[in-house]
Structure formats: C-alpha cells, structure tokens
C-alpha cells in the first residue's frame, strides 16, 4: 500500500492569499461609506431619511444569506469561483445604482446585489484565510476583517470628492467599475488548502488541541452547532454588540452635519476617521482578547459603547463627536474582528464558511435594527437622535450583564470541566 504523506504548502503562499483577501475586503467594505451617499441622494430625489437609508439596511441585512450560500459553494467550487462571482455582482450592483431613478432601483442594486456581492467575498475570504493560519488564527481573521472595516477610510473621502466634482449617480458608476476590476483580478490569486494540508513545522499546542482545525471532534456541522447553547449566547451577544456601531456608521455623516454643524466635506472626513477606528478595533480588541479573554474584552466593549453613546447625546463640537463615534466604532470593530476566530475555535474550520454565515445573521438583524432606530428617532423627534442614543446605550448595558454571566459560567466550567463545549480555556475565558 502506498504511504500517504501529509500535504505541505510553502508558507509564503498563504501571505499572498491574505494580502489579496484584504484588498477584496477593502473594496466591499466601501458599504460602510453609505452615509456619504445618503444626503446627496435625498437632495437629488427628495426622498425621506428612513426610506433612503433602507438601501443601506437591505445591503447589510442580506449579507448573512449570501455568506451561507457562498459557504456552500466554497466547499464545492473553491474560493476563486466564489470571490470572482461575488466581485462581479458587487461591482455590477454599485455601477447599476448609478442608474437609479426610484427607490426600488436603488434597493435592488445597492441593496440586494451589493449585499450578495459583499457576502460572497467577505464570507469566503474570512473563512478561507483562517484555514491557512491555524497558528495565527486571530491575526488572520482580524486583518481580513480589518480590510472590510477600512473600506470607508479610503472610499468615503474619495466618494465625497467625486460627488462634489460630478454627482452621486456618476460616483456610483465610477466606483462600480473600480470595484469590479480590483476584486476580479484579486480572485485569481486566491486558493484554499488542499485536503490533508498541514502547516509545515507547526503543531497545535496541547492546550488548544481541541480547537485545532486538525481535530475532527471540534468540527461541527451547522446542525450540530445549532444544538449547542453557546451558539445562541454568541448570536445574541453579536447582535447587541453590532447594533450601536451600525447605527452610528450608517448615520455618521448626517449626525455630523445636523447635530454638530459640519460641512459635507468635513463630515466625509469624519466618516473616514470613524471607519479607521472601526478597522483598528478589529486588530486592537483581537490582541486584547488574547491577553484578558474573549468575554472580558466583550464586557469592556459594551461598557465603552454605552458610555460613548451618552457622550454623543450631549456632543456639540467636533472633538466630542469624534471621540464618541470613534470609540463606538472601535468597539464595533472588536466584535467583527473577534467573532470569525471564535466561531472557528468553538465549532471548527471544516464548515466555517457556513457556520460563520449563520452566526453572522446576528449582524443582519443589527443592520436592520441599528440604522432604523436612528432614522425613526430622527423623524419622530423633529431631527434629533437622542432617543436612539439612549436605546442603544441600554442595549449595551444588557450586553454587559449577559457577558458577565458568561464570564462566571466559563470560570465554573474551568473548575469542573464536564462539558467539552467549554474545554478550551484560552478561547472563551
């Protein structure tokens, strides 16, 4: 019988895969620059804030569905096909949004097509990159997610400049072409590990063997994952943790202009700065969570968001506005950066594309709830966002209670490890 040797692949290849994955996510991360487009669309067509922002809500809310579908295709066709098709859909969605003459067209192009493009690209790149980095799972997931978060850093000021020079519809068309070309070209450099692949010279530490992607016992199918209590706790915590961030990111430019009195150009720069905080949060909180534990980090993120929402409620100048919005975005980024690795650690890498897509439905709920809270608050109070800030702050306080409960529960499980679901102390402590 022929001896089967472990399949090894040169390590430099995975760094190239990480780089192109980040590039693709920077493109689809332009969705976070929505607030730059919102007011120009309202001015051009005379639409209301709530109905216009529904395009952004649809975009983010449908991403999890695309991630789940893309995860299934990823297993069958590989990441190149998923990102290639996703890039075409996303670029086409942006380009066709430039022909919007009604809200329905905007919903179908920017909202639906954009969402399916984002979900395919983001879900595929995050799950695929984590597989290549069993030794640096948190770093790889954080950097890939950071690419998604940094899209608005680049494209918010660029879009604002293009809108000022041309108009909002032309800007959609220009960016659509840029995104399509960049993602499609990048997709040709991405690949997934071959069956049986191992990272040469690396073995999982004994303490974390249960979370290694080489351990089949930890590779849960979506059905098995849904039977665990931990899934529902993580889902609820993810939803609460992203509501505030999505609310502020989606309305940062209007809040800056209407509450603080910023010009559209200055507000666009502020959006870019807030997006940078979102990006940094994905890396920063990932690093912090390695030091003090995941749930402990989540407690601090909830507290920071709750306090800064109240600060934003009384903000009347640019420094206070930036401190508050950046802090909220920093916490939001933390959830986005930590959760892919937490999913892989707790439920394995084999079905990560689908499993993370299912957990990401919490983000989809937050995408509906967060921006809508702000829109409804503004329209029912004569242009003020105060009630939205207070509601979101209360939700974060509830999150603190849940997270503290989980901290105590995990400590008990460590002392009396009878449930294998809580075996890994490093990851869930």
């Amino acid at each position: 019988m022929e001896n089967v040797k472990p399949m090894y692949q040169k390590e430099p290849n995975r760094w190239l895969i990480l780089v192109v994955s980040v590039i693709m996510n920077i493109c689809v991360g332009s969705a976070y620059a929505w607030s730059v487009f919102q007011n120009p669309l309202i001015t051009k067509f005379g639409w209301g804030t709530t109905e216009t922002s529904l395009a952004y809500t649809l975009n983010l809310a449908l991403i999890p569905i695309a991630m789940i579908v893309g995860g299934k295709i990823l297993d069958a066709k590989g990441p190149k096909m998923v990102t290639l098709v996703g890039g075409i859909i996303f670029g086409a969605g942006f380009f066709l949004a430039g022909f919007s003459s009604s809200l329905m067209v905007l919903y179908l192009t920017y909202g639906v097509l954009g969402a399916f493009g984002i979900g395919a690209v983001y879900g595929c790149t995050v799950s695929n990159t984590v597989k290549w980095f069993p030794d640096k799972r948190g770093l790889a997931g954080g950097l890939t997610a950071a690419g998604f978060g940094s899209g608005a850093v680049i494209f918010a000021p660029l879009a604002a400049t293009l809108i000022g020079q041309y108009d909002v519809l032309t800007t959609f068309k220009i960016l659509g072409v840029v995104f399509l070309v960049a993602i499609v070209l990048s997709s040709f450099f991405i690949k997934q590990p071959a069956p049986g692949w191992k990272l040469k010279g690396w073995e999982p530490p004994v303490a974390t063997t249960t979370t290694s992607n080489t351990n089949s016992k930890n590779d849960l199918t979506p059905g098995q994952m849904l039977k665990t209590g931990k899934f529902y706790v993580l889902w609820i915590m993810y939803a609460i943790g992203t509501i505030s961030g999505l609310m502020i990111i989606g309305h940062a430019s209007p809040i800056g202009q209407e509450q603080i009195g910023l010009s559209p150009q200055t507000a666009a720069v502020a959006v870019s700065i807030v997006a940078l905080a979102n990006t940094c949060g994905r890396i920063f909180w990932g690093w912090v969570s390695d030091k003090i534990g995941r749930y402990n980090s989540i407690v601090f993120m909830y507290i920071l968001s709750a306090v800064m929402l109240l600060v934003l409620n009384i903000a009347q100048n640019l420094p206070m506005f930036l401190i508050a919005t950046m802090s909220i975005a920093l916490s939001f980024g933390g959830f986005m950066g930590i959760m892919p690795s937490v999913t892989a650690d707790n439920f394995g890498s084999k079905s990560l594309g689908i499993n993370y897509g299912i957990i990401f439905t919490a983000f989809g709920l937050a995408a509906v709830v967060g921006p809508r809270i702000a829109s409804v608050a503004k329209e029912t109070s004569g242009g003020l966002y105060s009630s939205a800030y207070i509601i979101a702050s209360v939700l974060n306080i509830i999150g603190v209670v849940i997270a503290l409960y989980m901290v105590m529960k995990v400590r008990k499980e460590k002392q009396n490890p009878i449930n294998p679901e809580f075996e890994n102390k490093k990851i869930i402590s």
Side-chain angles (χ1 to χ4, degrees):
M1 181 181 294
E2 184 179 61
N3 292 328
V4 179
K5 297 182 179 180
M7 297 190 66
Y8 293 103
Q9 186 158 336
K10 292 182 179 179
E11 186 169 326
N13 290 337
R14 63 181 188 153
W15 292 100
L16 175 61
I17 293 169
L18 175 61
V19 169
V20 296
S21 296
V22 170
I23 291 173
M24 287 189 276
N25 279 302
I26 289 174
C27 292
V28 297
S30 60
Y32 287 128
W34 163 257
S35 63
V36 174
F37 296 97
Q38 181 167 293
N39 277 359
L41 286 169
I42 292 173
T43 300
K44 183 176 182 66
F45 295 104
W47 299 329
T49 300
T50 300
E51 56 189 1
T52 305
S53 65
L54 183 57
Y56 171 71
T57 300
L58 277 172
N59 183 288
L60 297 185
L62 293 175
I63 290 175
I65 297 176
M67 289 177 65
I68 295 171
V69 174
K72 293 182 178 180
I73 299 175
L74 173 63
D75 293 336
K77 300 293 184 180
K80 183 179 295 185
M81 176 63 70
V82 177
T83 53
L84 174 64
V85 174
I88 293 173
I89 294 174
F90 181 74
F94 239 85
F95 181 79
L96 294 175
F99 295 92
S100 297
S101 56
S102 67
L103 283 166
M104 185 56 64
V105 174
L106 183 66
Y107 295 160
L108 291 175
T109 55
Y110 184 93
V112 177
L113 288 179
F116 276 86
I118 293 171
V121 173
Y122 178 67
C124 175
T125 52
V126 169
S127 61
N128 185 67
T129 304
V130 166
K131 292 177 183 179
W132 280 107
F133 289 83
D135 57 329
K136 297 179 177 67
R137 186 173 275 168
L139 175 65
L143 288 173
T144 309
F148 187 48
S150 65
V153 176
I154 299 171
F155 292 110
L158 176 59
T161 300
L162 291 173
I163 290 171
Q165 186 172 354
Y166 301 103
D167 61 27
V168 64
L169 296 184
T170 301
T171 300
F172 275 130
K173 295 173 185 176
I174 294 173
L175 292 179
V177 173
V178 171
F179 296 148
L180 189 149
V181 172
I183 298 174
V184 168
L185 289 178
S186 296
S187 70
F188 288 101
F189 295 92
I190 195 170
K191 60 179 67 176
Q192 67 181 343
W197 175 83
K198 289 181 62 179
L199 178 62
K200 189 174 183 179
W202 179 85
E203 292 294 336
V206 175
T208 59
T209 301
T210 58
T211 63
S212 169
N213 65 345
T214 63
N215 190 334
S216 60
K217 289 189 297 182
N218 195 55
D219 283 323
L220 302 188
T221 65
Q224 292 171 329
M225 180 185 70
L226 290 171
K227 293 179 181 178
T228 66
K230 185 184 295 183
F231 164 79
Y232 297 96
V233 173
L234 293 176
W235 193 94
I236 292 171
M237 294 175 71
Y238 202 2
I240 293 176
T242 50
I243 284 175
S244 301
L246 290 170
M247 181 181 77
I248 297 304
I249 290 170
H251 291 267
S253 183
I255 290 173
Q257 294 178 58
E258 296 161 18
Q259 181 175 325
I260 310 300
L262 304 180
S263 67
Q265 291 74 23
T266 303
V269 174
V271 170
S272 181
I273 295 173
V274 170
L276 181 61
N278 175 11
T279 300
C280 292
R282 299 169 189 235
I283 301 172
F284 171 74
W285 285 111
W287 172 78
V288 170
S289 70
D290 286 336
K291 303 295 182 182
I292 68 173
R294 307 299 191 210
Y295 290 157
N296 291 327
S297 298
I298 288 173
V299 169
F300 285 112
M301 288 189 283
Y302 281 139
I303 293 174
L304 182 61
S305 290
V307 172
M308 287 302 163
L309 281 160
L310 298 180
V311 171
L312 185 58
N313 190 38
I314 60 174
Q316 294 296 324
N317 54 58
L318 181 58
M320 288 183 69
F321 170 76
L322 286 177
I323 290 172
T325 53
M326 288 177 65
S327 297
I328 296 167
L330 188 78
S331 298
F332 168 78
F335 282 96
M336 297 296 291
I338 290 174
M339 290 306 296
S341 297
V342 170
T343 304
D345 291 336
N346 290 298
F347 307 119
S349 297
K350 186 175 182 180
S351 301
L352 181 58
I354 302 175
N355 286 346
Y356 183 57
I358 294 173
I359 286 185
F360 203 74
T361 57
F363 176 95
L365 174 68
V368 174
V369 175
R372 296 292 287 180
I373 289 175
S375 297
V376 173
K378 177 185 175 182
E379 294 192 346
T380 57
S381 64
L384 300 177
Y385 292 93
S386 294
S387 59
Y389 302 148
I390 294 172
I391 291 171
S393 184
V394 170
L395 286 174
N396 278 282
I397 293 172
I398 295 173
V400 171
V401 175
I402 297 174
L404 287 174
Y405 166 77
M406 290 306 299
V407 169
M408 292 186 291
K409 184 175 179 64
V410 169
R411 286 177 180 171
K412 290 182 179 179
E413 293 290 346
K414 285 182 180 180
Q415 296 171 357
N416 301 290
I418 59 174
N419 186 348
E421 188 179 338
F422 290 89
E423 271 184 339
N424 193 312
K425 300 179 182 181
K426 177 180 177 182
I427 290 168
I428 60 177
S429 62

